[in-house]
Amino acid sequence: MIRRLSAVLICRNYKGDVDMAEIDHFMPLLMQHEEEGLLCPVLSHGSVHFMWIKHSNLYLVATTNKNSNASLVYSFLYKLVEVFTEYFKELEEESIQDNFVVVYELLDELMDFGFPQTTDSKILQEYITQEGAKLEVAKSKVPTTVTNAVSWRSEGIKYKKNEVFIDVIESINVLVNANGSVMSSDIVGSIKLKTMLSGMPELRLGLNDRVLFALTGRDKGKTVTMEDVKFHQCVRLSRFESDRTISFIPPDGESELMSYRINTHVISCHIVLHFQAKGQFKKQSVANNVEVRVPVPSDADSPKFKTSTGNAKYVPEKNMVVWTIKSFPGGKEFLMRAHFGLPSVENDELEGKPPITVKFEIPYFTVSGIQVRYMKIIEKSGYQALPWVRYITQSGDYQLRTNV
């Protein structure tokens, strides 16, 4: 069910075991919990439970009167957002109202009697189009991908030049206390593919996986231990569990092959009171578009700045100084000094101490040291294909607490 603040936009009752009028209780419940500061992702009215997410100005709500699998429900809601965004570019009230027919078609294909079915937008776009005149014709011919064992890839794909682009993207989450000690840190990574390959190729991806090296008795060298590994449905899980080989027939175009988490101690940028920032990563690496957000008191005024590089500006509506550095080489150290006027009258209200936050992106580098050792491409026609690999490290939830 999709609704705005004032009314339901569109809904689908898959099993008929929940009264459609129950949704009228959702918004009053939501507003009540917001006012009480007790907002949570699951709201209940009697025996009916509302599981919801918010996207833009819309609420996507699933209702159930059973002990449903909550993680499955939320995965489906986020998949709805992904599919609708693929179709309509922007998921908002207007795009739903302009495409009622297509939305209902999608809802019927995405789920059947409460069970998720075809959720790949590329496959759905083969037989559900945004052109109403073509909709009826498309219905009569269901693509083989829907009934194939390989439901995520169509047959007969052809490219003049066969290539695979592999992006290894890692986000660093760090919390540093006021004394400069790292309280918590981890790395969340993903491997994304853009495949432009003909036919039905089988790909095998090799990583410097510590478990694999231990199984094969090889010289370890630089290896990583991945946790919470999640794969795209195309990966043969039984093969991975037996010998750690990542073997798969890839979807055509862009997809996320896998995600992972690595628990490790991350060396943080060191920022002290006069805003001294040092890039404590390899000298040959460069962080791009660095943004340091320094909170200041809400009653500060008359700002003055001096920086050794980059630009600093005061953002009063957010009570912060934003220091931007376009290029930050590893091992370099930069300074930013800020001077503010404060009122002489003491403020009785104690303000919180928001942390300093840092944003950045480092190309050609992974903080964990994960590496793509090989990518084998096997296709019955025997064509040659080129694999390309790119590494990117970026900031995730990167916070530094202060005493001031």
Side-chain angles (χ1 to χ4, degrees):
M1 193 170 299
I2 301 174
R3 68 168 296 154
R4 55 187 174 185
L5 282 172
S6 57
V8 175
L9 281 175
I10 199 164
C11 62
R12 198 71 170 114
N13 194 335
Y14 290 103
K15 301 182 76 172
D17 55 352
V18 177
D19 191 332
M20 297 289 282
E22 286 289 342
I23 192 61
D24 295 336
H25 301 290
F26 172 71
M27 284 312 299
L29 272 173
L30 184 76
M31 296 174 75
Q32 178 188 336
H33 280 71
E34 272 188 332
E35 289 173 2
E36 296 172 353
L38 300 172
L39 196 58
C40 61
V42 180
L43 303 175
S44 299
H45 178 261
S47 62
V48 177
H49 309 291
F50 304 99
M51 286 176 270
W52 61 279
I53 62 173
K54 186 178 181 182
H55 180 84
S56 187
N57 61 341
L58 300 176
Y59 291 90
L60 286 82
V61 187
T63 59
T64 180
N65 57 7
K66 294 182 173 62
N67 186 18
S68 301
N69 184 334
S71 61
L72 175 64
V73 174
Y74 284 108
S75 294
F76 182 75
L77 291 177
Y78 282 109
K79 179 58 75 171
L80 273 181
V81 172
E82 183 183 317
V83 170
F84 290 156
T85 304
E86 285 280 336
Y87 265 81
F88 313 132
K89 305 305 178 189
E90 295 289 338
L91 176 56
E92 53 192 21
E93 182 179 341
E94 188 176 331
S95 60
I96 296 294
Q97 290 175 334
D98 291 346
N99 296 278
F100 270 129
V101 175
V102 178
V103 170
Y104 273 116
E105 288 282 336
L106 288 170
L107 290 174
D108 284 341
E109 293 298 332
L110 286 160
M111 182 170 281
D112 183 27
F113 198 65
F115 297 96
Q117 299 296 314
T118 305
T119 59
D120 191 312
S121 60
K122 292 186 179 67
I123 303 305
L124 290 166
Q125 285 170 357
E126 290 187 24
Y127 62 107
I128 296 180
T129 72
Q130 286 175 271
E131 300 172 41
K134 291 185 179 180
L135 211 55
E136 296 302 320
V137 178
K139 274 185 178 179
S140 62
K141 186 180 179 182
V142 178
T144 54
T145 47
V146 175
T147 53
N148 263 357
V150 185
S151 61
W152 55 87
R153 185 179 179 89
S154 302
E155 295 180 355
I157 296 172
K158 290 184 180 179
Y159 286 98
K160 289 183 179 179
K161 188 176 182 181
N162 292 285
E163 296 178 301
V164 182
F165 297 88
I166 307 164
D167 280 350
V168 182
I169 302 172
E170 291 189 341
S171 296
I172 311 173
N173 300 317
V174 176
L175 178 60
V176 180
N177 67 15
N179 297 322
S181 301
V182 177
M183 299 177 65
S184 64
S185 65
D186 68 355
I187 299 164
V188 178
S190 64
I191 296 180
K192 298 185 178 182
L193 301 179
K194 183 177 181 181
T195 57
M196 295 185 289
L197 299 172
S198 304
M200 281 283 183
E202 179 179 333
L203 277 60
R204 293 175 189 167
L205 177 69
L207 304 173
N208 56 333
D209 178 6
R210 185 167 297 169
V211 178
L212 171 63
F213 279 41
L215 284 172
T216 56
R218 300 178 196 169
D219 178 27
K220 289 185 179 179
K222 178 70 175 178
T223 59
V224 296
T225 301
M226 298 181 291
E227 300 179 21
D228 298 338
V229 180
K230 298 176 185 175
F231 289 110
H232 187 279
Q233 62 175 325
C234 67
V235 175
R236 296 184 176 92
L237 294 181
S238 58
R239 180 78 184 271
F240 179 77
E241 289 168 357
S242 64
D243 61 11
R244 305 291 285 192
T245 298
I246 302 173
S247 175
F248 58 99
I249 296 173
D252 186 44
E254 296 180 1
S255 62
E256 181 174 290
L257 179 67
M258 62 179 288
S259 62
Y260 59 88
R261 183 175 59 84
I262 296 175
N263 276 323
T264 185
H265 180 75
V266 177
I267 299 174
S268 67
C269 287
H270 181 58
I271 301 181
V272 295
L273 185 58
H274 56 282
F275 313 137
Q276 174 186 1
K278 184 175 182 179
Q280 293 183 321
F281 46 89
K282 293 181 180 179
K283 290 185 178 180
Q284 60 266 37
S285 297
V286 176
N288 294 329
N289 303 316
V290 177
E291 188 175 279
V292 183
R293 297 184 171 190
V294 184
V296 298
S298 59
D299 51 0
D301 62 15
S302 308
K304 295 178 183 177
F305 306 104
K306 187 177 181 181
T307 63
S308 58
T309 191
N311 297 302
K313 66 176 181 178
Y314 176 43
V315 186
E317 63 271 19
K318 295 184 179 179
N319 299 322
M320 67 172 60
V321 176
V322 179
W323 180 20
T324 54
I325 304 170
K326 190 173 182 181
S327 181
F328 199 139
K332 291 287 185 180
E333 190 172 298
F334 299 122
L335 296 173
M336 188 269 285
R337 288 184 173 85
H339 178 273
F340 290 89
L342 292 172
S344 57
V345 179
E346 187 175 337
N347 191 346
D348 292 332
E349 294 182 10
L350 290 175
E351 289 192 10
K353 297 178 181 177
I356 295 170
T357 58
V358 185
K359 291 186 177 182
F360 58 84
E361 183 176 282
I362 308 174
Y364 319 116
F365 174 76
T366 55
V367 70
S368 70
I370 193 170
Q371 296 173 356
V372 174
R373 294 171 47 243
Y374 64 81
M375 169 66 86
K376 294 181 181 177
I377 301 166
I378 305 163
E379 214 279 331
K380 60 184 180 181
S381 64
Y383 61 71
Q384 296 296 310
L386 296 172
W388 305 90
V389 183
R390 180 173 61 172
Y391 299 97
I392 301 172
T393 292
Q394 59 192 18
S395 56
D397 186 12
Y398 205 105
Q399 299 185 2
L400 304 99
R401 292 179 178 172
T402 65
N403 286 321
V404 293

